[in-house]
Amino acid sequence: MISRREALALGGCVSAGALAGCAGFGSDTEYLTLELLNFDSEPHEVAVEALRADADEHSEAAVLRERYDLETPPEAEDRVASQQLEENVLESDRYLVRVHLEDAPATRESYQYYPDCSSADDTSDRLFIEVRTERESEELYIEFKQNRCSGSGSGWV
């Protein structure tokens, strides 16, 4: 028969072993990279806010509030946009991403981001935020795209 002291010691060892085994679990955190692109002929300051989907209050939800200065596209013939890359800026998770232009506050857009590349070995999640101009009206707008790694729709959306 096992004594109470031996049972407690055994339980402690089992618990410690289980926790030690779980310490490495999830250590391969996937991250989200933001790629900001300016297709307009003017520079822009872009405000980006990312909100967690599972929070109850705005103060808990806001995980990113940044402003990025986007230059005008370079004059090289093979480049049609200026690019700013923000690698591994957030853990890859569900977010509501809200963007507006500081110099044109009415130009704003939201996007519901869902991670898709957690199982891909050579590809990380990437969200593209693009500043564009309507051809006919020359009105500014913001467009979102993200890479896809799973299913038949893999590629860019």
Side-chain angles (χ1 to χ4, degrees), residues 137-156:
S137 66
E138 295 190 19
E139 292 288 321
L140 291 170
Y141 69 97
I142 297 167
E143 185 171 85
F144 294 92
K145 295 179 182 174
Q146 77 175 78
N147 61 331
R148 303 274 190 213
C149 298
S150 63
S152 60
S154 63
W156 306 103

Side-chain angles (χ1 to χ4, degrees), residues 24-44:
F25 184 73
S27 63
D28 293 331
T29 304
E30 299 293 326
Y31 288 95
L32 172 63
T33 293
L34 296 180
E35 191 163 337
L36 298 107
L37 299 157
N38 183 13
F39 289 89
D40 188 37
S41 60
E42 298 293 324
H44 294 286

Side-chain angles (χ1 to χ4, degrees), residues 8 43-44 48 85-86 104 112 122 129 132 134 139 146:
L8 288 173
H44 294 286
V48 178
L85 191 64
E86 299 294 327
Q112 185 65 53
D122 60 344
I129 301 170
R132 295 185 167 268
E134 290 283 347
E139 292 288 321
Q146 77 175 78

Side-chain angles (χ1 to χ4, degrees), residues 60-118:
E60 295 173 3
V63 292
L64 176 72
R65 281 190 205 146
E66 288 293 330
R67 287 177 169 61
Y68 302 99
D69 291 317
L70 300 182
E71 301 296 323
T72 58
E75 293 187 21
E77 291 180 25
D78 61 336
R79 301 281 310 264
V80 295
S82 67
Q83 173 189 22
Q84 183 167 338
L85 191 64
E86 299 294 327
E87 293 187 286
N88 303 329
V89 72
L90 292 168
E91 286 187 27
S92 191
D93 202 351
R94 287 180 34 205
Y95 298 109
L96 172 63
V97 180
R98 300 191 301 199
V99 176
H100 73 270
L101 300 181
E102 289 290 329
D103 55 330
T107 304
R108 58 181 57 239
E109 195 62 55
S110 296
Y111 182 77
Q112 185 65 53
Y113 173 79
Y114 292 92
D116 195 55
C117 295
S118 61

Side-chain angles (χ1 to χ4, degrees), residues 50-66:
L51 303 166
R52 286 186 326 174
D54 60 349
D56 293 327
E57 295 182 14
H58 186 273
S59 60
E60 295 173 3
V63 292
L64 176 72
R65 281 190 205 146
E66 288 293 330

Side-chain angles (χ1 to χ4, degrees), residues 9-23:
L10 181 61
C13 288
V14 169
S15 297
L19 289 174
C22 292

